[in-house]
Structure formats: C-alpha cells, structure tokens
C-alpha cells in the first residue's frame, strides 16, 4: 500500500464525512436527500487537483444529461417498462459522448434514479439529487486543495531513475552475452518488451507529476523540474528505440559469428579478426551502459561520456579497416551507429567537464 494511496483514502473519507455532516443544513433543500453529498465527494476525489476539478465538472454534466433523459421519458407518458428501456438505451448511447469524459457513466444511472426514485416528484428529486452531489464535489475539491495537495514530482523522478538503471543493466547484460560460447538462447525480445512497457508506465507517472503541479500551491516552482523529467523520459524512450535495434543486430552477430567459426576453423585468421570485433563491440556496449547508468549531471558522467565515445571510436576504426568477416563488419557498423545515437540522447544530462585550470 503506497503512501499517496493511503493519503487519498484518508482525504476521501474526510471529505465524505464533512459533506455528510453539512448537507442536512443546506437551505432550500430536502435533508432527506443529503446522503447524495458523500457521493459527490467521492466522485471528485482524484490524485491530482486538475483531474479532481475536471472529473467533478464532467460528472455534473453527466448527471444533468441523465436527468434530462429521464424528464424526456416522463413527458412521453408511456408505460413504465417502456420508459425504463428508453432511459437506459438513450442513456447508454449518450454515455458514448466523449465530451462528457468521466461523467459518461453517470448518464444512464442518473436517468434511472430520476425515473424510478423521483417518479411523480421528479422535479424536486432531481434538484435535490444534483445540488447535493454538486455540494459534495465542492467539498471534495476543497479538501483535496487545502489538505496536503498531491504533488508527484519525487515519484516521477524515482521511476525515471529505476528505468534508467534497468536500461543500463540491460546493456551490460547484452555486452556480457557476447562472451557466451556457444551463443545463449536468452529471450531478449521479452526483456526489451518489458522495458518498453515499463517506459509507458513511467511516462504516465511523469504526466501525472506535471498535472499534479497545476493549480497546486506546492508546485509553483516545479516547472523546471517537470521539463527536465520530460526531457529524460524522451531521451530514455529514444535510447530504448536504439537498444531494440542493437539487440536485433547482436542476435544476428552472435549467430553469424558462431557459423563463421564453425566454417573457418578455430585457428583461422577470420576467426581471430571476428574476435577483435566481438571484443571491441562488447567494450563499446558496456561503456554506453555505464554512461546510461550515470545520474543526471553526476561528476563521473563526463568521464563516462568520454569512455563511451572512445570505445565506439575504437570499434569504428577496426570496422573501417574491414577487420572481421563481411557479415560481422556490416553488423558492427550498424551497431556502432545505434551506440552513437544512444550517446547523443544521453549527452544533455552529462556534467560539464572541469577545465584544465581547475
């Protein structure tokens, strides 16, 4: 059970209790319907203030549309069974209206409430129902605003750090796989798929962090941090794109290297040259993995950037000299391009290198 969820549960319970306590004292309304006020508080309580307000407004719109559907059915004066079928059918159709957002599901429910519970006194019932729910939603929004308004910046940063570490570990494991003899049958596609799925979850967390600062007194100075989080997220997504390419290339490289070794013999010059490519490719992938693992603008990031660039440059020089088989050279060239691309997307988060004077 996470701390934000516990806090949300506490605030929702508090808002519902306050709405329940105050609703019977609302002027010009029937206190018999005050039990709808806690419902409004629950409807409006979401992890972020912006979403709380938006959801409350959409819910109110859904309630109003549902009430209108019920009044339309009542005006027809048709048999009860027909009216139930009508309000449910029309309500479900209107629930597909995207403009209502979170309020869509309330259209058929409200239509049924007004029709079946309001009945002959639908006017009074609908007014009491809607106003009490609106009152509860206002209470919920105020509680969410004034009692520890949610801010998810730290959660987004922690998730970004974990994703960064997972990508770095993946690259390290990819480099280690070049030592396997014969090549292992590890399911890399599953691993990269899991990473991409995790990236989607992290992007949602970053979006929630951005949303949580809007209208939040605690988030007035968080714009710079959120912008950096979005930049890190985009960089990691781009890195994952190139990592997937790199994974496919290495799968082909390991297969071709194994086949070449079997055909040419262990002592053949081609086998020796392919080993050079393998060794330098392994070093380059490992160095890029260490670069990815660097925290944002950490002191060691400049040295890791230089090490990664040097390792890829060494690999490129060997490939320019056509060291290795034709297959390993072509795959190595493509791999070096992917590695350089990963380096480029990581560059904005590297610390400035101290000048020689210091």
């Amino acid at each position: 059970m996470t701390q934000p969820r516990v806090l949300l549960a506490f605030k929702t319970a508090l808002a519902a209790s306050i709405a329940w306590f105050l609703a019977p004292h609302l002027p010009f309304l029937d206190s018999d319907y005050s039990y709808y006020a806690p419902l409004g508080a629950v409807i409006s309580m979401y992890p972020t203030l912006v979403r709380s307000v938006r959801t409350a407004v959409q819910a109110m719109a859904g309630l109003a549309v549902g009430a209108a559907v019920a009044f339309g059915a009542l005006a027809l004066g048709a048999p009860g069974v027909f009216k139930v079928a009508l309000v449910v059918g029309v309500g479900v159709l209107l629930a597909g209206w995207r403009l209502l957002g979170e309020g869509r599901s309330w259209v058929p429910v409200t239509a049924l409430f007004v029709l079946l519970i309001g009945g002959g006194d639908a006017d009074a019932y609908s007014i009491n129902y809607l106003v009490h729910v609106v009152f509860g939603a206002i209470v919920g929004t105020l509680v969410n605003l004034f009692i520890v308004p949610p801010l998810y910046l730290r959660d987004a940063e922690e998730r970004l750090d974990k994703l960064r570490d997972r990508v770095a570990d993946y690259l390290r494991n990819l480099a280690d796989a070049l030592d396997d003899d014969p090549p292992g049958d590890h399911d890399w596609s599953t691993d990269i798929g899991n990473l991409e799925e995790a990236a989607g979850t992290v992007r949602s967390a970053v979006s929630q962090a951005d949303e949580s600062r809007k209208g939040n007194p605690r988030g007035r100075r968080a714009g710079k941090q959120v912008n950096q989080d979005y930049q890190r997220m985009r960089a990691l997504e781009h890195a994952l794109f190139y990592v997937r390419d790199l994974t496919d290339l290495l799968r082909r490289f390991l297969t071709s290297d194994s086949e070449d070794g079997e055909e040419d013999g262990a002592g053949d010059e081609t086998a020796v040259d392919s080993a050079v490519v393998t060794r330098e490719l392994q070093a380059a992938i490992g160095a890029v993995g260490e670069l990815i693992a660097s925290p944002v603008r950490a002191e060691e990031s400049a040295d890791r950037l230089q090490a990664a660039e040097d390792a890829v440059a060494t690999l490129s020089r060997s490939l320019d000299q056509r060291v290795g088989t034709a297959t390993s050279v072509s795959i190595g060239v493509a791999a070096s391009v992917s590695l350089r691309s990963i380096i480029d997307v990581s560059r904005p988060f590297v610390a400035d290198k101290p000048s020689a004077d210091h």
Side-chain angles (χ1 to χ4, degrees):
M1 191 69 67
T2 62
Q3 183 178 353
R5 175 57 58 177
V6 172
L7 178 60
L8 180 64
F10 168 76
K11 292 200 296 184
T12 304
L14 178 63
S17 300
I18 293 174
W20 169 258
F21 177 76
L22 295 178
H25 306 289
L26 293 175
F28 311 115
L29 295 175
D30 190 341
S31 60
D32 289 342
Y33 296 99
S34 60
Y35 53 83
Y36 285 119
L39 176 63
V42 173
I43 290 174
S44 68
M45 193 63 67
Y46 273 85
T48 65
L49 289 172
V50 169
R51 192 174 177 190
S52 288
V53 174
R54 181 172 64 244
T55 302
V57 171
Q58 291 171 342
M60 298 310 106
L63 294 173
V65 171
V69 170
F71 280 118
L74 288 169
L76 292 177
V81 173
F82 176 77
K83 284 187 285 191
V84 169
L86 180 64
V87 298
V88 171
V90 174
V92 171
L93 286 175
L94 292 176
W97 191 10
R98 293 185 178 181
L99 186 62
L100 293 175
E102 299 288 342
R104 291 181 294 178
S105 61
W106 288 101
V107 176
V109 173
T110 301
L112 273 177
F113 279 7
V114 173
L115 177 67
L116 300 180
I117 301 177
D121 196 19
D123 291 344
Y125 172 81
S126 59
I127 291 174
N128 279 278
Y129 172 55
L130 293 175
V131 174
H132 277 102
V133 173
V134 169
F135 173 74
I138 293 173
V139 171
T141 302
L142 291 175
V143 168
N144 210 9
L145 173 63
F146 291 110
I147 299 182
V148 194
L151 196 61
Y152 295 99
L153 300 178
R154 181 175 297 178
D155 177 67
E157 285 201 325
E158 290 176 352
R159 288 174 181 266
L160 282 166
D161 290 344
K162 289 179 181 178
L163 179 62
R164 175 201 67 205
D165 293 340
R166 287 184 63 179
V167 174
D169 287 340
Y170 181 90
L171 285 171
R172 294 183 185 116
N173 293 334
L174 208 57
D176 291 340
L178 291 171
D179 278 336
D180 293 346
D181 188 19
D185 58 355
H186 187 83
D187 188 4
W188 294 104
S189 59
T190 298
D191 288 349
I192 193 68
N194 291 338
L195 274 177
E196 289 171 338
E197 183 179 346
T201 301
V202 175
R203 171 163 280 280
S204 297
V206 173
S207 297
Q208 185 181 57
D210 185 19
E211 187 179 81
S212 71
R213 73 181 178 88
K214 296 176 181 177
N216 191 332
R218 300 171 59 209
R220 290 174 181 171
R221 300 180 181 179
K224 184 176 180 181
Q225 180 180 331
V226 170
N227 289 336
Q228 178 178 275
D229 288 346
Y230 271 123
Q231 291 172 1
R232 291 181 65 194
M233 187 68 245
R234 285 191 291 269
L236 285 169
E237 288 175 334
H238 290 155
L240 277 172
F241 174 82
Y242 297 117
V243 167
R244 176 176 279 280
D245 278 352
L246 187 62
T247 301
D248 293 337
L249 290 168
L250 288 191
R251 187 184 295 112
R252 290 168 50 201
F253 179 82
L254 290 169
T255 303
S256 66
D257 193 40
S258 176
E259 292 173 352
D260 291 338
E262 291 176 0
E263 292 177 3
D264 298 324
D268 191 272
E269 180 182 350
T270 302
V272 174
D273 289 346
S274 293
V276 172
V277 175
T278 301
R279 183 174 64 250
E280 294 178 353
L281 183 56
Q282 183 180 37
I285 295 172
V288 171
E290 292 303 319
L291 172 61
I292 290 287
S294 302
V296 177
R297 294 180 181 84
E299 292 183 5
E300 68 273 16
S301 60
D303 291 335
R304 292 184 180 184
L305 173 63
Q306 188 63 55
E309 290 178 331
D310 292 345
V312 175
T314 299
L315 172 63
S316 297
R317 282 195 295 271
S318 294
L319 296 170
D320 288 342
Q321 297 168 7
R322 294 297 186 266
V323 174
T325 65
T327 301
S328 66
V329 168
S330 63
I331 294 176
V333 169
S336 66
V337 170
S338 293
L339 289 170
R340 287 188 186 279
S341 298
I342 297 173
I343 291 173
D344 288 340
V345 300
S346 304
R347 200 181 301 276
F349 309 102
V350 173
D352 296 331
K353 201 165 187 177
S355 62
D357 295 338
H358 294 82

